Amino acid sequence: MTKSDAASHMDMAHPCLEGKKRRCGRPTPSATEQLDQHLLEVAASLFVEHGYAGTSVDQIARKASASKQTLYRRYPSKEALFKAVITNLTASLLRTMAEAPLKDPLLELKHVSRLMLDFVVRPDALGTYRILIADAYRYPSLITHAIENISEPFHASFERLLKAAQNAGEIEAGHDNATTAHLWSGLLTGWPMKESLFGLKPLEDKAARDAFFEHAWALFLRGMGAKPV
């Protein structure tokens, strides 16, 4: 088998189907989606392990049992692939946030805030943060993409729910603004993220996160002039 034949064979292999490498004809939408997800998961694991600069498209293709052509058809560069990893990291979380109803804005803010706390201490999120801290100064478009796909959606959701809570009379007037949203985000995630980035495990289990979150939430409510919900 020539090198080109081998690459073609790897291209048609579906790594999500129990590792079987066989020609399957035209892939179904479901199979394509599974392959896309597999490629992103493999890329994410290698980026976290070796850093952005230390990871190549060749490495990702080999680990994923795919050809470089498979990757380049989807992502024209390593930078585009890393951006896709970031987007994939937050996709389901952002869908959950966007679907939060406004029946009780303060309870919805509590729900979204807890999602944020759980997210920032996830190993894959922490690995991505470390890459951005280490390499983003050389690749400024990466940090811009991360801000647009992680920080800004959370911040926008906080502001939206603060405005709704104020309109509903659940918090005192004057707190439905960007400054309040930033202060709440810092109170909630600043210490856990810092400790976790240092390799410590300040909120290792759900019980610890529950206790920390409820304490932070009670402080926040008092500052907003609201009663604990």
Side-chain angles (χ1 to χ4, degrees):
M1 180 183 292
T2 67
K3 182 177 289 188
S4 61
D5 289 338
S8 176
H9 181 73
M10 296 286 274
D11 232 3
M12 295 302 295
H14 197 303
C16 302
L17 299 179
E18 301 177 0
K20 296 178 182 178
K21 295 178 183 176
R22 57 187 177 84
R23 294 184 179 275
C24 305
R26 183 180 295 276
T28 65
S30 175
T32 299
E33 183 178 345
Q34 289 177 16
L35 177 57
D36 290 342
Q37 186 64 29
H38 174 74
L39 294 173
L40 290 173
E41 289 174 357
V42 169
S45 68
L46 289 175
F47 280 131
V48 168
E49 182 178 357
H50 301 294
Y52 181 79
T55 302
S56 68
V57 174
D58 276 337
Q59 288 174 294
I60 296 169
R62 286 197 301 272
K63 183 72 176 289
S65 297
S67 70
K68 287 200 298 182
Q69 287 74 18
T70 298
L71 287 169
Y72 281 129
R73 277 199 297 270
R74 290 164 169 80
Y75 314 105
S77 65
K78 184 173 76 168
E79 179 177 321
L81 177 54
F82 186 75
K83 288 178 179 179
V85 167
I86 292 175
T87 301
N88 187 61
L89 180 67
T90 59
S92 62
L93 182 61
L94 296 181
R95 280 196 300 271
T96 301
M97 288 167 51
E99 292 165 0
L102 289 175
K103 294 180 180 178
D104 187 326
L106 206 53
L107 283 177
E108 293 303 333
L109 177 60
K110 183 178 184 181
H111 173 66
V112 171
S113 299
R114 181 52 197 267
L115 290 176
M116 183 181 192
L117 177 61
D118 288 337
F119 174 76
V120 299
V121 297
R122 276 170 40 181
D124 53 353
L126 289 168
T128 302
Y129 291 145
R130 289 189 180 99
I131 291 170
L132 293 171
I133 291 169
D135 294 322
Y137 74 97
R138 287 181 288 182
Y139 311 98
S141 67
L142 298 183
I143 195 66
T144 299
H145 187 80
I147 290 171
E148 291 175 349
N149 287 271
I150 302 176
S151 302
E152 289 182 354
F154 271 117
H155 186 79
S157 185
F158 284 175
E159 276 202 74
R160 173 177 65 91
L161 292 168
L162 284 169
K163 289 182 185 296
Q166 182 171 294
N167 291 337
E170 293 184 321
I171 61 175
E172 292 178 351
H175 297 306
D176 61 334
N177 52 57
T179 299
T180 302
H182 283 306
L183 288 170
W184 170 230
S185 177
L187 172 66
L188 180 65
T189 66
W191 175 75
M193 185 184 295
K194 181 195 71 175
E195 295 288 293
S196 298
L197 288 172
F198 287 159
L200 305 175
K201 297 180 179 180
L203 303 175
E204 189 168 8
D205 55 41
K206 183 179 181 298
R209 289 194 298 277
D210 284 342
F212 176 84
F213 180 84
E214 291 299 333
H215 194 163
W217 181 247
L219 287 173
F220 177 71
L221 289 183
R222 285 199 289 273
M224 297 297 99
K227 296 180 180 180
V229 178

